[in-house]
Amino acid sequence: MKSFTMRIAVNTRFLLSARLEGIGWVTHELIRRLVAAHPDDEFLFFFDRPYSKEFIYGSNVRPIVLFPPARHPILWYAWFEFSVARALRRLKPDVFFSPDNYLSLRASTPTVMITHDLAHLHYPEQIPGLVRRYYNHFVPRFLQRADRIVAVSDYTRQDIISQYQIPPEKVELIYNGCREQFVPVPKKEQAEMREKYAGGRPYFFYLGAVHPRKNVDRMIRAFDRFKAATAAPLQLLIGGRLAWQTSDVRAAYEGAESKADIHFLGHVPEADLPRLMGAAFALVYVSLFEGFGLPVLEALRCGVPVISSTTSSLPEVTGEAGLLVDPTSEEAIAEAMQRMYGEPELYRRLVAAAPGQVAKFSWDRAAAQLYEVLKTVAEEHH
């Protein structure tokens, strides 16, 4: 039984209507559960722009808009160190929860922060100069300042501890979950999705933003090798926005013999996404580095096997339900595609392993674990 009701302030700046991406989804899935499960607690939602009513999950939520809209290093600093700090001083919550790697150094409020990854240390050349300088300066300070850090994978947890000498007891592992919309898709709907997006043919699917760390250029060249070796009828569908530094991806596409079988879908409508995933022959997600890798879990929840990477957190999320490859080797990626296509028994074994792997990840469990962390930190300072 909890000893006191809490006033919990939450950084909700990534709750953007019709534009939820990775951190936005994590925020949404965790916070809506906390609001519903703890009606006696008060939740203060800090937005950085006018908000949508859909994110006010209950009568115990009080939305507060703090300016400026924070989408640039200078504005991040202004928002967190002035607007957020001032609001926390005025409203005196028991704990501040920030799910997006940042917090307020000027605020004395007990703080729990999610750190999704330390990509800026591992792939600094892929991050714009000013943003990189901001991360290099502030991330170690954020990690020192946080009362507790939540890591979304054991890989990220160990990375935080070893890179910044953070005490292990300060870093909690709470795995992401997967949205309920991702479920196995009936054969009829699979056929409809193939017809709509792939000319009726089976397809490998990639889902995520397109930028260098996602390794989409090697995936395209590997698919080209696969097509040359097998002449299989499969297509490659690439779902997600072109983010930054995409010239290598464009060059790989222009140079592909199988260009006619490769399709950039851009942002996939939310209504189609789970069925598009569920109708895929396999997900190809050979990212160079991930803090978690949500599309892998979404595919497995649909019963779709995965070709993924041996690097960072991806083996944790993939488990026995996919083929793990060296993401820097086009040959290895192409060979995994050939094995998926040419070894039905292997394919069936991977599909059969998916439910057991998926069971390790749950938003309900994650929200319950998070609440215990918030309560512990609040009580320590009460």
Side-chain angles (χ1 to χ4, degrees):
M1 187 165 146
K2 70 183 183 196
S3 54
F4 67 102
T5 58
M6 289 195 289
R7 171 180 271 194
I8 302 169
V10 186
N11 160 18
T12 53
R13 71 192 180 106
F14 280 108
L15 293 182
L16 302 170
S17 189
R19 287 192 291 149
L20 287 182
E21 291 189 339
I23 290 172
W25 278 115
V26 171
T27 306
H28 171 68
E29 295 294 342
L30 288 171
I31 297 304
R32 70 186 178 93
R33 286 171 168 81
L34 292 189
V35 168
H38 303 282
D40 294 336
D41 291 334
E42 182 186 8
F43 292 83
L44 309 172
F45 282 11
F46 291 171
F47 294 95
D48 71 341
R49 64 197 64 210
Y51 57 87
S52 170
K53 292 279 200 303
E54 72 196 271
F55 300 121
I56 309 307
Y57 307 112
S59 58
N60 54 339
V61 173
R62 181 173 157 199
I64 297 159
V65 178
L66 305 174
F67 289 93
R71 291 297 183 275
H72 178 280
I74 292 167
L75 299 177
W76 295 337
Y77 183 78
W79 198 72
F80 282 98
E81 300 308 331
F82 291 94
S83 299
V84 169
R86 196 180 304 122
L88 291 172
R89 276 197 301 276
R90 180 167 56 86
L91 297 162
K92 297 182 172 51
D94 296 292
V95 64
F96 175 48
F97 171 53
S98 185
D100 69 1
N101 308 306
Y102 303 174
L103 51 69
S104 176
L105 295 171
R106 291 162 67 108
S108 58
T109 308
T111 298
V112 175
M113 174 181 74
I114 296 184
T115 295
H116 297 270
D117 63 54
L118 300 180
H120 68 283
L121 288 184
H122 299 277
Y123 290 90
E125 71 286 353
Q126 296 182 5
I127 296 170
L130 187 60
V131 174
R132 186 167 68 241
R133 287 200 291 280
Y134 183 93
Y135 289 164
N136 287 338
H137 180 79
F138 282 104
V139 168
R141 289 165 172 79
F142 292 158
L143 293 169
Q144 292 293 341
R145 162 65 186 89
D147 294 272
R148 287 292 190 290
I149 301 152
V150 171
V152 298
S153 63
D154 189 54
Y155 173 83
T156 296
R157 180 175 183 273
Q158 299 302 336
D159 211 19
I160 291 166
I161 292 164
S162 64
Q163 298 283 355
Y164 290 113
Q165 289 72 58
I166 302 295
E169 62 274 13
K170 186 171 149 173
V171 192
E172 307 273 352
L173 168 61
I174 300 179
Y175 281 124
N176 289 328
C178 183
R179 287 179 278 158
E180 295 93 340
Q181 298 96 306
F182 289 90
V183 291
V185 173
K187 289 277 188 280
K188 181 172 177 291
E189 287 182 39
Q190 288 186 28
E192 287 168 9
M193 285 291 108
R194 284 196 296 269
E195 202 58 55
K196 181 172 179 178
Y197 285 98
R201 288 154 71 191
Y203 55 88
F204 287 115
F205 188 42
Y206 165 81
L207 179 66
V210 177
H211 57 76
R213 192 159 45 86
K214 300 298 187 178
N215 208 27
V216 173
D217 56 326
R218 284 197 187 92
M219 178 182 72
I220 288 171
R221 288 192 292 270
F223 177 73
D224 214 32
R225 286 170 181 256
F226 162 78
K227 292 289 280 190
T230 63
L234 273 81
Q235 305 218 326
L236 175 62
L237 304 188
I238 298 169
R241 64 190 171 87
L242 294 174
W244 63 85
Q245 297 179 23
T246 56
S247 56
D248 286 351
V249 173
R250 295 173 199 275
Y253 172 72
E254 291 302 333
E257 295 286 332
S258 56
K259 188 157 55 174
D261 292 318
I262 302 169
H263 305 285
F264 290 90
L265 306 182
H267 180 75
V268 178
E270 195 55 44
D272 278 2
L273 186 53
R275 294 184 302 152
L276 188 62
M277 180 71 87
F281 175 72
L283 179 77
V284 184
Y285 198 79
V286 287
S287 177
L288 297 172
F289 181 91
E290 292 292 328
F292 185 80
L294 211 44
V296 170
L297 188 53
E298 291 167 347
L300 297 183
R301 206 164 188 273
C302 292
V304 172
V306 173
I307 297 170
S308 190
S309 302
T310 52
T311 59
S312 60
S313 63
L314 289 167
E316 277 177 81
V317 183
T318 306
E320 301 294 313
L323 297 177
L324 296 173
V325 300
D326 172 0
T328 64
S329 167
E330 290 161 27
E331 296 92 329
I333 302 167
E335 184 190 334
M337 291 175 172
Q338 285 175 239
R339 291 190 65 201
M340 273 284 189
Y341 178 68
E343 299 180 29
E345 187 47 50
L346 167 70
Y347 187 88
R348 281 192 291 273
R349 194 165 73 244
L350 297 176
V351 170
Q357 181 64 10
V358 166
K360 299 175 185 175
F361 306 94
S362 151
W363 280 129
D364 287 342
R365 190 159 61 237
Q369 290 172 302
L370 172 63
Y371 189 79
E372 287 306 309
V373 174
L374 295 170
K375 186 170 77 163
T376 299
V377 169
E379 285 176 341
E380 285 171 358
H381 293 79
H382 198 58

